Structures are given as C-alpha cells and as structure tokens.
Amino acid sequence: YDGEGVVDCLVSKFGPEIEIIVPPPKNAVHGANTRRNQHIDAIAEHGRMNWQSQTGYNQRSHVEIQIGRWKQVIGDRLQARDFDNQIAEAQKHSTARQLSVVRHMSVSSETNGFGTYSPKT
C-alpha cells in the first residue's frame, strides 16, 4: 500500500489534502512524495512505535476490532447486494443476536448458579 499507484488513486478520489498514513517498509528510501519522506524521517528519528502513536496509525487496530465484533454478529459476509438491503440484513442479524443474549440471560436466571436447572416447587 506504500506505492505510488495507491497514493495516486487516493489523491484522485479524495483530493490532494488527504492525509495518507501508510507505514513505509523498513528499507524505504526517499522518493517524490514529500509526505512519505516525512514519515520515513520521523520513523528514523523517533522510532516506528512513536511514529504510530503520533500519526494516529494505532486507531487502525480499534477499527479492526470493531469490524471483528460486527462479523461475530452478522457473519463473514452479507448476502444482500443492494446497500439498503445490506443495512436491513445487518439490523436483522443484530436483532437476532440481541434476542439470543436475552434468551441466554433468562435461562441463566433459572439456574442455581452452577449451571444446572433448579425447578421451582
């Protein structure tokens, strides 16, 4: 993702003011892209971990965690192709997940704390 083609595509789609934060490889050398050169210099001067926290690159992991949570709810992929139908399908999966949690909570309240059912007499 550190190549010129990706940068050109993003700049053409979102404009020249877009801030592209892609970690350059360890053996990266300066090129025509001044922002990339600044990232290379910052990593060389302050270290990769410091660069990640300064640029907000660590937010990527938070987004990946959220995507993972959604995939637990709706599965790996949606069947619908139309965006409006995808929204409806995601809501359906989310509602089904909430109902299964409620069902689990109600079954848990009927147990005696050890996972076994205690019938009321």
Side-chain angles (χ1 to χ4, degrees):
Y1 297 108
D2 186 44
E4 291 286 327
V6 173
V7 172
D8 293 341
C9 177
L10 292 171
V11 168
S12 68
K13 179 145 180 97
F14 299 106
E17 63 277 350
I18 186 172
E19 183 178 359
I20 302 170
I21 302 174
V22 176
K26 293 179 183 179
N27 60 353
V29 294
H30 285 97
N33 186 334
T34 56
R35 289 183 188 162
R36 180 178 179 270
N37 294 341
Q38 291 170 351
H39 290 303
I40 293 170
D41 293 338
I43 290 171
E45 186 175 339
H46 304 291
R48 187 170 291 271
M49 296 304 288
N50 190 22
W51 172 82
Q52 287 181 0
S53 63
Q54 292 298 318
T55 58
Y57 183 74
N58 292 333
Q59 290 178 341
R60 176 184 65 92
S61 65
H62 296 297
V63 171
E64 289 176 355
I65 289 169
Q66 290 294 349
I67 290 171
R69 289 177 182 158
W70 264 107
K71 284 188 172 186
Q72 285 180 339
V73 172
I74 63 173
D76 285 340
R77 65 173 58 164
L78 296 173
Q79 300 299 317
R81 293 185 178 257
D82 182 61
F83 184 67
D84 291 334
N85 293 341
Q86 288 176 347
I87 291 172
E89 185 178 345
Q91 289 173 342
K92 178 186 81 170
H93 286 292
S94 178
T95 303
R97 173 76 175 154
Q98 290 172 354
L99 289 174
S100 72
V101 168
V102 169
R103 266 187 251 127
H104 175 71
M105 289 173 53
S106 66
V107 168
S108 296
S109 68
E110 294 175 359
T111 63
N112 63 7
F114 297 104
T116 57
Y117 178 71
S118 304
K120 297 177 185 173
T121 56

